[in-house]
Amino acid sequence: MQTIKCEITKVFDADDKGIGFAMKPDSITDEIKQLKKWNNKFKNFTATWWFNGKPKPKWIIEGAEIEFNWSNKNGYLEFDRASVETLSLPDEAEMSEEEKSFNQAVDELSDEAV
C-alpha cells in the first residue's frame, strides 16, 4: 500500500449505498495516472466511499484535506479505511447547522440588495 495526501475538490450526490467524490493529489505519480478514474485534464481522480451500513464520514466535504493508504485494485483506487486521517476541514464543516442557516440567510439578503 501507498500513502497519499489529497484535497477533496467535488462531492457528488450520495445514494443509500455510497457517495462519490473527486480528489486532487498533492503528488501525481505514474501509479495515480494509471487509475481508470484519473482525469488528466483536471489533474484529479474520482472515488466512491461505500457506506456498508455506516454513516457518511464528516471528512467527505469539498475542501477537506485527507491522507490515507491505498492500493490499485483492477485499475481502481481502493481505500484502506482504517488509515484515513483528516488533515484539515473547511470552516463550513465545523459550523453548526444554526450558523450555516444564519449565514445562508445573510447571503440571500445581500443578493437581494444587489
Side-chain angles (χ1 to χ4, degrees), residues 74-104:
N74 299 322
Y76 294 95
L77 178 129
E78 183 175 60
F79 281 90
D80 173 10
R81 288 178 174 251
S83 74
V84 177
E85 181 181 335
T86 304
L87 303 175
S88 71
L89 291 174
D91 291 338
E92 183 178 325
E94 298 172 8
M95 280 189 232
S96 69
E97 287 302 315
E98 187 175 289
E99 288 174 309
K100 289 179 188 177
S101 179
F102 174 79
N103 288 342
Q104 183 178 4

Side-chain angles (χ1 to χ4, degrees), residues 40-96:
N40 201 45
K41 179 180 177 182
F42 295 108
K43 304 294 186 224
N44 69 9
F45 57 93
T46 56
T48 301
W49 188 270
W50 303 106
F51 294 142
N52 299 327
K54 297 179 181 175
K56 178 183 106 171
K58 69 177 183 175
W59 54 262
I60 300 181
I61 184 169
E62 290 178 22
E65 293 180 6
I66 60 173
E67 181 177 64
F68 57 93
N69 294 329
W70 69 280
S71 60
N72 182 333
K73 184 173 183 181
N74 299 322
Y76 294 95
L77 178 129
E78 183 175 60
F79 281 90
D80 173 10
R81 288 178 174 251
S83 74
V84 177
E85 181 181 335
T86 304
L87 303 175
S88 71
L89 291 174
D91 291 338
E92 183 178 325
E94 298 172 8
M95 280 189 232
S96 69

Side-chain angles (χ1 to χ4, degrees), residues 4-18:
I4 189 169
K5 291 180 185 178
C6 295
E7 177 185 353
I8 298 177
T9 56
K10 180 75 175 162
V11 178
F12 306 104
D13 291 336
D15 61 24
D16 59 341
K17 295 179 183 173

Side-chain angles (χ1 to χ4, degrees), residues 104-114:
Q104 183 178 4
V106 169
D107 289 344
E108 288 172 4
L109 289 173
S110 295
D111 289 343
E112 289 176 10
V114 173

